[in-house]
């Protein structure tokens, strides 16, 4: 029996790698999920181009214009009324949705943030994590509430901070784990396996077609699972073989 697809709307402002990871994940997994629209506030967002290449409907309303965010949210409400979706996912959407919009759609908006919330909400998370000297960093998927980066936490991905890390190298490691935690967390909420409640997220029965979907709220970067590198002393330089002795090493 064909299942009714759960429909997602993605909001983004930039390169769209999380959107792309989600679209690839949907393509390669059997769950009845589809991305109905990709919406941006920036016409130059690469994520819009990636969506068009995949034949996904896109919309863009600039927030730099006089209407700002109120006009953007009105247009988005019109789109949602004309084309209902099950879940909105923010994937690098760089504007703050109004508390009224968040309340109207409570439990139906997810965000991914590049830190282990509640640590480092806001911007420049990787540089701040390095400056704070933390040993682990990562990303958090959370429900969007009226308070910035403070909605109930759904899933986290942990990465190690390695010697010599720069904000860019750390960002790249975090992005890798974002691409793994976000699609499966989105699927879990769309499927009803994770449901919003006044206490945060609670587990629920899966919608038809999602019965075998597994949800792991905590993912560890493979680098965290490797045994720690032993710090070896540099090997002692072996003595030069005497003339005519130690032929084996002399032949190498
Ligand atoms: C990601 O780091 C995400 O955590 C943050 O914005 C960035 C978006 O990257 N919210 P991309 O546009 O998905 O590549």
């Amino acid at each position: 029996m064909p299942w009714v697809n759960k429909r997602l709307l993605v909001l983004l402002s930039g390169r769209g790698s999380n959107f792309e990871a989600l679209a690839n994940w949907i393509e390669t997994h059997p769950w009845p999920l589809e991305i109905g629209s990709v919406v941006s506030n920036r016409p130059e967002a690469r994520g819009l181009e990636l969506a068009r290449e995949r034949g996904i409907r896109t919309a863009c309303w600039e927030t730099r214009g006089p209407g700002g965010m109120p006009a953007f949210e009105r247009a988005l409400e019109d789109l949602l009324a004309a084309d209902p979706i099950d879940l909105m996912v923010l994937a690098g959407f760089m504007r703050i949705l109004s508390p009224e919009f968040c309340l109207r759609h409570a439990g139906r908006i997810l965000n991914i943030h590049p830190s282990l919330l509640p640590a480092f909400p806001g911007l420049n998370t990787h540089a701040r994590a390095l400056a704070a000297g933390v040993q682990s960093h990562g990303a958090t998927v959370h429900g969007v509430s009226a308070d910035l980066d403070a909605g109930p936490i759904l899933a986290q991905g942990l990465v190690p901070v390695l010697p010599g890390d720069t904000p860019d190298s750390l960002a790249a490691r975090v992005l890798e784990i974002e691409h793994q935690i976000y699609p499966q967390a989105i699927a879990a909420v769309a499927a009803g396996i994770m449901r919003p409640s006044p206490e945060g997220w609670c587990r629920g029965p899966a919608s038809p077609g999602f019965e075998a979907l597994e949800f792991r709220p905590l993912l560890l970067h493979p680098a965290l699972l490797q045994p720690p590198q032993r710090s070896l002393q540099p090997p002692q330089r072996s003595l030069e073989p005497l003339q005519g002795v130690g032929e084996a090493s002399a032949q190498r």
Side-chain angles (χ1 to χ4, degrees):
M1 175 181 127
W3 312 116
V4 176
N5 278 357
K6 295 288 180 186
R7 304 186 75 240
L8 310 171
L9 180 144
V10 177
L11 283 160
L12 53 78
S13 302
R15 76 190 151 183
S17 73
N18 274 288
F19 153 69
E20 207 175 15
L22 173 64
N24 288 340
W25 193 89
I26 290 173
E27 251 174 49
T28 52
H29 288 77
W31 319 117
L33 276 172
E34 72 178 279
I35 300 176
S37 308
V38 172
V39 171
S40 183
N41 62 318
R42 303 189 62 179
E44 68 276 21
R46 178 157 157 67
L48 281 178
E49 205 180 308
L50 294 172
R52 283 187 211 111
E53 282 167 12
R54 288 174 180 264
I56 296 174
R57 170 185 181 172
T58 62
C60 182
W61 309 293
E62 285 215 56
T63 45
R64 283 181 288 221
M69 270 311 273
F72 180 93
E73 288 183 356
R74 278 196 301 276
L76 182 54
E77 290 289 13
D78 288 346
L79 177 65
L80 294 170
D83 186 17
I85 52 100
D86 296 282
L87 190 60
M88 270 177 271
V89 299
L90 310 187
F93 183 62
M94 299 306 285
R95 295 304 305 257
I96 298 173
L97 294 164
S98 70
E100 295 75 29
F101 186 92
C102 295
L103 284 174
R104 259 197 313 279
H105 298 282
R108 290 205 311 142
I109 317 177
L110 295 181
N111 183 40
I112 185 151
H113 180 78
S115 80
L116 295 175
L117 289 172
F120 312 119
L123 298 173
N124 303 321
T125 56
H126 310 302
R128 286 159 61 208
L130 287 176
V134 296
Q135 295 199 340
S136 305
H137 186 44
T140 303
V141 180
H142 64 94
V144 172
S145 67
D147 300 313
L148 184 67
D149 297 334
I153 290 176
L154 176 64
Q156 291 191 305
L158 263 68
V159 308
V161 176
L162 299 177
D165 259 339
T166 62
D168 284 349
S169 64
L170 189 52
R173 197 173 307 119
V174 170
L175 198 62
E176 229 182 285
I177 207 143
E178 288 186 25
H179 295 167
Q180 294 168 38
I181 55 169
Y182 208 16
Q184 55 113 20
I186 290 167
V189 176
I193 290 170
M194 298 306 292
R195 294 167 186 244
S197 80
E199 288 77 40
W201 295 98
C202 62
R203 295 221 171 222
S207 304
F210 287 97
E211 288 84 359
L213 177 67
E214 281 177 21
F215 169 62
R216 283 184 295 154
L218 184 65
L219 285 190
L220 303 183
H221 190 278
L224 276 171
L225 304 173
Q226 280 161 14
Q229 300 267 317
R230 273 187 296 151
S231 68
L232 293 174
Q233 294 296 321
Q236 295 281 320
R237 198 161 174 270
S238 53
L239 293 173
E240 289 298 324
L242 293 172
Q243 204 73 41
V245 185
E247 280 167 21
S249 39
Q251 278 163 12
R252 262 190 246 138

Coordinates of all heavy atoms in Angstrom, one line a residue, residues 47-48 64 239:
G47 N 21.8 27.2 -1.9 CA 20.8 26.2 -1.6 C 19.6 26.3 -2.5 O 19.0 25.2 -2.9
L48 N 19.2 27.5 -3.0 CA 18.1 27.6 -3.9 C 18.4 26.9 -5.2 O 17.6 26.2 -5.8 CB 17.8 29.1 -4.1 CG 17.0 29.8 -3.1 CD1 16.8 31.3 -3.5 CD2 15.6 29.2 -2.8
R64 N 15.9 42.0 3.1 CA 16.6 43.2 3.2 C 15.7 44.4 2.8 O 16.0 45.5 3.1 CB 17.8 43.2 2.3 CG 19.0 42.4 2.9 CD 20.2 42.3 2.0 NE 19.9 41.5 0.8 CZ 20.8 40.6 0.3 NH1 22.0 40.5 0.8 NH2 20.5 39.9 -0.7
L239 N 72.6 2.7 15.1 CA 74.0 2.9 14.8 C 74.3 2.5 13.4 O 73.7 1.5 12.9 CB 74.9 2.2 15.8 CG 74.8 2.7 17.2 CD1 75.6 1.7 18.1 CD2 75.4 4.1 17.3

